[in-house]
Amino acid sequence: MNATTSTRTRGALGSSALRPDGIPKVQGRFAFSSDAWADSMLWGATLRSPHPHARIVSIDVSGALAINGVSAVITAKDVPGQLTYGLIASDQPVFASEVVRYAGEPVAAVAADHPETARRALDAIRVDYEVLPPLVDAEDAISGSFTPIHPDGNVIRRQRIIRGDQSFVGDVVVEGYYDVGMQDQAFLGLEAALALPDDAGGGVELFVATQWLHEDQKQIAACLGLPIEKVRLTLGGVGGAFGGREDISLQVHCCLLALTTGRPIKMQYGREESFFGHIHRHPARIFMRHHADRDGTLRRVEARIVLDGGAYASTSSAVLINAVTHMQGPYKCEMATVDGYAVRSNNPPCGAMRGFGVVQACFAHESQMDKLAAACGLDPVDIRLKNAMRTGDRLITGQVMDSVAPVERCIRETAALPLPEPLPADPDPLLIPGGAGLTARRGNITRGIGWGVSIKNLMYSEGFDDYATARCRLANGVATLQFATAEVGQGFVVLAQQIARTVLGVDTVLLEPISTAIGSAGSTSASRQTWMSGGAVDGACRLVRERLFEHVAATHHVDPLRLVIDGTDVVDSMGTLRVTVAEASHGLAFDETFEHHHRETEELDENGQGNCHVAFAFVAHRAVVDVDTELGLVKVVQVATAQDVGRVLNPLAALGQVEGGIAQGLGLAVMEEIVLENGRMRNPSFTDYLLPTALDAPDVVVSMIEEPEPQAPLGAKGIGEPPCISVTPAIVAAIRQATGKELSRVPVRPLDIVFG
Amino acid sequence: MTVVNATSLQQALEALRDHPGARLVQGGTDLMVEVNFNRTTLHDVVALRRVNELKRWHIVEDSQTIHLGAGVPYAEMERSPLCHHLPALAQAARTVGSPQIRAAGSLGGNLGTCSPAGDGLPVLSALDATVHLQSLDASRDLSIHEFMLGVKKNARQPNEVIVAVTLPILDGFQGYAKVGTRNAMVISAASACVVHDAIGGTVRVALGAVAPTVVRTREAEAWLASQTNLTAPLTVSPELAREFGRRAAAECSPIDDHRSTAAYRRHAIAVLVERLLLRANDHGKSPQ
Ligand SMILES: Cc1cc2nc3c(=O)[nH]c(=O)nc-3n(C[C@H](O)[C@H](O)[C@H](O)COP(=O)(O)OP(=O)(O)OC[C@H]3O[C@@H](n4cnc5c(N)ncnc54)[C@H](O)[C@@H]3O)c2cc1C
């Protein structure tokens, strides 16, 4: 080492840099949006429909207004702007006016001096309903047997994919029906917001936990009838999202109450209300038929997929596109016949959730691959290796796979990960199926192994330009970043700092509040922020670095193109100049803003052909389960996974995504389901909507496959969604192996194993 | 609304007299859920948390019983020495909620709520526990079977506090097993407690979550006694155990709900009772 060697920047890309919000969260000091508070604020609360389908005959709010402490009661007739909102189609009323279309739909909202006063005010509102029969079976929406429950009709979107010989019949044909239950995002930080009216009353500022500030801003402003700039949003602390915060929930209600009363309004949902307040994962019914050559080569897939979108469109049409375009799985396949529907019903609305349509498709295609393997006398690994997709292959949409596509490597590296120890003769009773219930002994347990492999698109599709904006300012050796990227727990705040440290050679990176004061970052969803906002931060930092190099070059009379960052110094790569970034930027300020756009995509044509997706990521999962076959109880022992990540930018954060996604996919496999009965939720609470506990979570062994993606600004693919997708079919396949049961629906319930 | 923070049983009883209809709260793990879900509006509350008399337990030497205060938290039942005297109760206690819930929840609350899924109740039933009730001017003892009346219905009068339960110290196997769709922290879909009284020569079984209230399977018990000698050590064949499970299951009347189905619950009971009886059979025998 010589004296001119620079100090390394701490927390650069590739390190497990500490999150700025990590320690405050662990210590309970982090302010979630439910902690927001303003002097003289009032509490907002929402009245919801008890019926899945009913005509509103009359609403009488006088009883509520008569209560001491109640400042306002608002209904549909108080909405000053557009009466509806929605992410793709504006079809969801701010408040139901003539009809309610799902149990839990907002009908009115109140502002009062105390949450308890607000609750009593809700009780005092008289709504006279004429109950109508609910449309709860998706097939009724398709067949036209039910009169339209919404002016936009009962079918939200239909999309076919037609490719190749439509009459081809394979040597080997396997088929089946598959059902996926309604999963909830179950983020822990409940919906909450604080709205502050402007002094002059002409605008509003909203602190809210959301996934996309600018989309919220657009929809809120339209409903309030205000110009966009009169509605300013700042991100409140977000405790998880998983897609459940893409749609408007309490935003418009909260702002409207603030404008009506001229007082700050706080709204927050409890856990039960949260189940009614946000959209869920689409339940699906899928039929699939696979055609293959005798040796197991996949030739053609046929599928019919029906997604129940519930009462309003939300992102159903985009979820459907994902489902139909991913039906082949991560496998080569020349011919396809796919027919997909997203329908409207009087069930709770469904929309985005981690995996976005691909979860449903994957459960079907992976179950099919196991059937195909059995029919061809191959094992589950060999059939997948034989058909593994490669870069350059064509998808059933005709799009050429031009992402790095290490499918074969994902499978081989997963297979090479160690299997768990066999169950000991006298196992810890807490660690076998039934756990604390002490239902089983060693002799009641059978072990099974199963596989799942998936393909997932990254970013938005079908011609949508979901760009991201970031700004970087460098002064006196300190970088300050600004972006509107929603930090929902995924860790973008630390990634942004890592990028700035790496590009600019600074240690200290400050973050401006996340708000609409800067351009859009797009949604924190679709596994896109590392790529998109990461690309924007990287771009802004590079522009600043160019300016810095120009300045250093001019000052020291060297060619700026010869300058590089080495640790915390600016160095002349062909000479002797070495000056710290802090000195070089002393007394100066460089300030640059950059927008990152991904390449353009196209809409699908009527045959489902077109380059509709930006890029793809892949993953393989191998699950080992222990099953008490007689009681139908399951313990997932281990999940091994090799994931195509492009590049690991923060090892700890990447591992967190993988482990968390696996827990969520496990939830769908064996316990998580919103149970509906005639449009009504039976279990809107954590007593009965079961999430995996520490005793349910498996050991996770991981291999990160790092083949940098040339299209991606940092070489890194999105890694948020893939972990939760193929783990579900892998677990179900393992249960099938242990039990010999068909198990065509998730979640697999104990009774499915016992009686299935 | 008045909240009386009683520091003695006497104070609590007086508070119940002064505020008729007041709700008692021990751990609050049932009551606060009711309040939060708006299923109950609280008027007056008498808090028992600081009433030390309810938090104690002791062995009554003459009768070889344990007198267990109604406010003893589950966490203590899980631990030594209580878990050695009352192993099925310890196992049931371990299945209740999370560590936070077990630090606060109590048998007084389990009895007070009297849910068919209450995990303490099958154990009390299988052990033929006695429930001690106290009012300002009277005390009475009820058998657990007289105390539990139906879904969330019990024989307690509004002016009474459940002060304790008395449970026998028995020689022989005691076990509790509970089925739910998660490996911990789950409300029972079906549960069973099997107790073997090796001196008295009985095997007793009580079932949870499969009827409006906890079920004692007296016919199956009598049948088993007629089939084999129940004084120690048990020699139950696998076939006998299976038939016993089937007979016990025939005595429950489960329903379909969002947690499970009647058919699955009945099946699970048969399996649990069979397995628990086989465990009783193995109890005390060397592993070989
Ligand atoms: C997350 C969670 C998980 C749970 N899981 C389980 C579970 O797995 N199994 C299970 O059985 N239960 C479970 N419960 C329910 C609850 O914990 C138990 O029923 C517990 O035994 C209640 O005891 P407590 O002291 O908290 O009762 P409290 O809530 O204080 O009281 C419950 C009722 O009993 C009455 N009461 C309390 N003490 C007395 C007394 N001394 N005399 C007369 N009346 C009295 C109260 O007035 C009230 O009506 C769970 C609860 C929660 C919140």
Side-chain angles (χ1 to χ4, degrees):
Chain A
M1 292 262 156
N2 65 46
T4 59
T5 303
S6 70
T7 47
R8 291 176 62 94
T9 37
R10 276 165 295 138
L13 285 173
S15 74
S16 287
L18 277 189
R19 301 172 59 129
D21 55 348
I23 289 171
K25 277 179 175 164
V26 171
Q27 292 182 336
R29 287 189 292 110
F30 180 84
F32 288 96
S33 61
S34 52
D35 296 316
W37 198 272
D39 287 338
S40 78
M41 72 181 188
L42 299 172
W43 296 81
T46 316
L47 181 70
R48 295 175 182 277
S49 161
H51 307 293
H53 197 198
R55 192 173 314 288
I56 298 177
V57 179
S58 64
I59 304 178
D60 177 3
V61 303
S62 56
L65 282 170
I67 294 173
N68 210 346
V70 174
S71 300
V73 182
I74 54 174
T75 63
K77 65 177 177 31
D78 302 301
V79 177
Q82 202 172 288
L83 298 178
T84 55
Y85 58 78
L87 277 164
I88 297 177
S90 181
D91 73 339
Q92 181 157 3
V94 175
F95 294 109
S97 56
E98 282 154 32
V99 279
V100 289
R101 297 188 182 88
Y102 70 97
E105 179 161 7
V107 174
V110 303
D113 57 3
H114 189 276
E116 185 57 23
T117 317
R119 196 190 60 72
R120 283 195 289 121
L122 296 181
D123 286 348
I125 300 173
R126 292 278 152 267
V127 186
D128 194 3
Y129 293 102
E130 178 194 330
V131 174
L132 301 170
L135 165 52
V136 292
D137 181 343
E139 291 297 339
D140 286 341
I142 295 171
S143 70
S145 64
F146 214 96
T147 46
I149 59 169
H150 189 282
D152 294 355
N154 290 348
V155 174
I156 296 169
R157 182 168 180 179
R158 178 180 188 189
Q159 179 68 53
R160 282 188 248 238
I161 294 183
I162 305 290
R163 185 169 184 81
D165 179 355
Q166 293 299 294
S167 55
F168 178 86
V169 177
D171 299 337
V172 183
V173 178
V174 293
E175 62 181 49
Y177 279 94
Y178 303 95
D179 291 289
V180 178
M182 185 185 281
Q183 189 178 18
D184 187 56
Q185 295 83 354
F187 41 73
L188 290 185
L190 296 160
E191 288 88 347
L194 177 68
L196 306 171
D198 290 351
D199 289 338
V204 64
E205 188 167 0
L206 185 70
F207 293 82
V208 63
T210 183
Q211 288 180 242
W212 188 357
L213 289 166
H214 287 77
E215 177 63 31
D216 279 10
Q217 181 189 36
K218 189 177 95 195
Q219 294 185 54
I220 296 166
C223 294
L224 297 178
L226 290 175
I228 285 262
E229 64 279 5
K230 291 290 180 191
V231 179
R232 299 175 311 278
L233 272 72
T234 300
L235 191 70
V238 188
F242 309 111
R245 297 188 208 268
E246 277 192 21
D247 294 71
I248 293 290
S249 56
L250 44 61
Q251 288 89 329
V252 181
H253 302 157
C254 196
C255 291
L256 191 50
L257 286 171
L259 291 172
T260 307
T261 59
R263 300 266 295 270
I265 300 285
K266 172 161 181 162
M267 283 187 93
Q268 63 182 40
Y269 293 169
R271 177 58 60 190
E272 184 181 19
E273 186 168 22
S274 177
F275 274 97
F276 298 104
H278 64 252
I279 53 80
H280 312 285
R281 189 191 295 292
H282 289 77
R285 170 136 248 240
I286 302 174
F287 171 77
M288 266 205 108
R289 185 181 287 139
H290 277 55
H291 298 262
D293 295 340
R294 196 149 313 286
D295 69 354
T297 305
L298 178 62
R299 304 296 306 281
R300 177 176 180 218
V301 291
E302 290 180 83
R304 180 176 185 272
I305 172 159
V306 178
L307 301 177
D308 184 348
Y312 296 105
S314 179
T315 47
S316 282
S317 57
V319 173
L320 178 71
I321 286 320
N322 261 18
V324 295
T325 58
H326 287 73
M327 254 0 265
Q328 75 195 89
Y331 309 110
K332 280 189 278 283
C333 181
E334 322 137 57
M335 295 168 271
T337 312
V338 179
D339 197 4
Y341 293 87
V343 307
R344 194 187 301 277
S345 72
N346 294 117
N347 287 320
C350 291
M353 182 172 172
R354 195 179 197 175
F356 204 78
V358 182
V359 164
Q360 294 90 331
C362 185
F363 176 59
H365 69 62
E366 285 308 272
S367 301
Q368 284 284 105
M369 289 308 278
D370 287 339
K371 277 190 187 168
L372 195 58
C376 297
L378 292 173
D379 83 29
V381 173
D382 289 337
I383 190 114
R384 289 172 168 87
L385 284 173
K386 180 174 208 53
N387 291 294
M389 181 183 284
R390 293 198 172 84
T391 304
D393 288 341
R394 240 173 232 288
L395 305 178
I396 56 175
T397 54
Q399 179 166 1
V400 173
M401 168 57 60
D402 59 3
S403 294
V404 170
V407 180
E408 183 178 332
R409 221 182 128 191
C410 286
I411 299 169
R412 288 196 192 283
E413 292 208 9
T414 301
L417 290 167
L419 282 163
E421 294 292 312
L423 200 58
D426 193 13
D428 179 345
L430 289 179
L431 300 182
I432 61 176
L438 301 181
T439 45
R441 289 271 168 93
R442 173 74 183 83
N444 307 121
I445 310 293
T446 311
R447 183 160 281 191
I449 300 182
W451 279 82
V453 189
S454 56
I455 171 176
K456 174 70 185 59
N457 65 317
L458 309 173
M459 277 74 73
Y460 281 28
S461 304
E462 285 195 289
F464 196 84
D465 180 18
D466 48 316
Y467 68 95
T469 316
R471 175 177 170 205
C472 173
R473 188 164 175 273
L474 176 69
N476 301 321
V478 173
T480 304
L481 299 175
Q482 188 181 13
F483 43 77
T485 311
E487 169 60 58
V488 304
Q490 83 277 27
F492 187 74
V493 285
V494 69
L495 181 70
Q497 291 179 322
Q498 290 177 267
I499 294 169
R501 289 183 195 124
T502 306
V503 176
L504 292 172
V506 293
D507 277 330
T508 308
V509 182
L510 306 178
L511 303 177
E512 292 282 346
I514 297 170
S515 77
T516 51
I518 184 173
S520 176
S523 176
T524 296
S525 57
S527 302
R528 61 178 288 286
Q529 289 297 23
T530 294
W531 185 311
M532 297 304 298
S533 286
V537 169
D538 187 55
C541 291
R542 282 171 190 275
L543 288 178
V544 164
R545 187 174 66 185
E546 258 175 54
R547 298 268 317 275
L548 175 71
F549 285 172
E550 281 162 13
H551 170 76
V552 170
T555 319
H556 296 274
H557 310 292
V558 293
D559 180 353
L561 295 177
R562 287 169 33 177
L563 297 179
V564 293
I565 294 285
D566 177 29
T568 53
D569 297 339
V570 180
V571 176
D572 179 354
S573 59
M574 299 163 87
T576 54
L577 175 69
R578 175 176 286 273
V579 48
T580 67
V581 172
E583 284 166 42
S585 60
H586 185 74
L588 301 164
F590 306 107
D591 191 338
E592 296 289 341
T593 299
F594 186 81
E595 262 180 26
H596 184 76
H597 295 254
H598 59 65
R599 69 158 181 219
E600 284 178 24
T601 58
E602 314 166 344
E603 293 196 14
L604 293 178
D605 67 18
E606 61 177 14
N607 288 328
Q609 302 296 297
N611 298 317
C612 71
H613 295 307
V614 179
F616 298 89
F618 302 88
V619 65
H621 289 102
R622 181 192 67 202
V624 176
V625 304
D626 284 340
V627 185
D628 178 338
T629 52
E630 211 179 0
L631 284 175
L633 302 180
V634 176
K635 161 81 185 181
V636 182
V637 177
Q638 186 209 53
V639 173
T641 180
Q643 187 171 330
D644 157 39
V645 299
R647 217 180 125 202
V648 175
L649 303 177
N650 183 318
L652 188 60
L655 184 63
Q657 287 295 321
V658 170
E659 292 186 341
I662 284 171
Q664 207 153 24
L666 179 151
L668 179 61
V670 294
M671 62 182 83
E672 287 187 45
E673 181 175 16
I674 293 178
V675 181
L676 294 172
E677 193 180 279
N678 230 353
R680 288 194 166 78
M681 276 188 226
R682 296 295 312 276
N683 56 338
S685 77
F686 279 176
T687 306
D688 284 315
Y689 182 88
L690 299 180
L691 296 164
T693 69
L695 275 187
D696 301 285
D699 280 342
V700 173
V701 282
V702 189
S703 166
M704 301 284 187
I705 296 182
E706 297 192 83
E707 294 186 15
E709 169 61 49
Q711 278 195 73
L714 303 166
K717 290 185 173 182
I719 59 170
E721 292 175 288
C724 81
I725 298 173
S726 39
V727 66
T728 305
I731 289 169
V732 177
I735 304 172
R736 287 188 193 115
Q737 202 207 40
T739 61
K741 300 287 170 115
E742 176 102 20
L743 306 178
S744 60
R745 98 183 274 284
V746 283
V748 174
R749 298 160 296 191
L751 62 100
D752 297 321
I753 295 175
V754 171
F755 303 122
Chain B
M1 173 170 163
T2 331
V3 177
V4 179
N5 241 319
T7 53
S8 69
L9 182 59
Q10 181 65 21
Q11 240 186 37
L13 293 169
E14 286 167 7
L16 278 185
R17 177 198 58 201
D18 299 342
H19 306 280
R23 291 295 296 271
L24 295 170
V25 59
Q26 178 67 55
T29 61
D30 269 330
L31 191 72
M32 291 315 295
V33 174
E34 268 186 64
V35 172
N36 289 340
F37 277 83
N38 276 324
R39 290 192 199 120
T40 253
T41 312
L42 287 183
H43 295 294
D44 301 323
V45 175
V46 178
L48 300 173
R49 280 193 191 211
R50 299 195 189 148
V51 179
N52 286 331
E53 292 112 297
L54 300 179
K55 293 224 166 163
R56 298 195 192 114
W57 65 272
H58 62 272
I59 296 175
V60 184
E61 294 293 347
D62 333 344
S63 57
Q64 272 302 293
T65 57
I66 288 185
H67 185 87
L68 183 57
V72 173
Y74 290 114
E76 193 167 344
M77 302 174 213
E78 285 180 69
R79 281 196 302 262
S80 184
L82 257 184
C83 69
H84 300 302
H85 299 301
L86 300 167
L89 188 63
Q91 290 169 6
R94 173 62 184 84
T95 74
V96 175
S98 58
Q100 295 91 327
I101 298 297
R102 299 199 290 276
S106 66
L107 283 181
N110 220 220
L111 286 163
T113 300
C114 209
S115 155
D119 283 305
L121 307 180
V123 182
L124 299 187
S125 173
L127 286 172
D128 291 322
T130 303
V131 181
H132 304 288
L133 296 147
Q134 177 88 50
S135 63
L136 205 49
D137 36 39
S139 70
R140 56 183 185 133
D141 293 346
L142 283 182
S143 137
I144 181 72
H145 312 298
E146 296 163 324
F147 179 83
M148 298 187 292
L149 298 180
V151 184
K152 303 205 170 174
K153 278 206 340 237
N154 63 39
R156 172 187 167 258
Q157 296 298 317
N159 65 343
E160 287 178 320
V161 171
I162 303 163
V163 289
V165 293
T166 296
L167 302 153
I169 299 176
L170 296 178
D171 194 10
F173 171 85
Q174 296 179 17
Y176 183 75
K178 155 176 162 181
V179 172
T181 313
R182 181 159 74 181
N183 288 322
M185 208 165 96
V186 66
I187 304 291
S188 173
S191 71
C193 179
V194 170
V195 166
H196 176 212
D197 177 356
I199 312 282
T202 58
V203 165
R204 311 179 214 152
V205 180
L207 311 175
V210 287
T213 187
V214 169
V215 173
R216 256 302 278 277
T217 64
R218 299 200 188 270
E219 285 174 34
E221 290 170 25
W223 174 82
L224 187 66
S226 74
Q227 298 294 306
T228 179
N229 179 7
L230 296 177
T231 45
L234 284 182
T235 48
V236 175
S237 69
E239 295 72 32
L240 197 72
R242 175 145 293 216
E243 179 57 23
F244 183 56
R246 244 197 307 269
R247 285 173 178 263
E251 287 183 59
C252 67
S253 47
I255 56 164
D256 288 344
D257 65 13
H258 56 281
R259 292 186 188 137
S260 192
T261 62
Y264 176 79
R265 287 182 157 116
R266 196 182 290 281
H267 166 82
I269 288 296
V271 174
L272 293 182
V273 171
E274 174 192 350
R275 288 184 183 177
L276 285 166
L277 186 63
L278 289 173
R279 283 178 210 174
N281 196 51
D282 295 344
H283 182 71
K285 292 174 191 157
S286 68
Q288 275 70 42

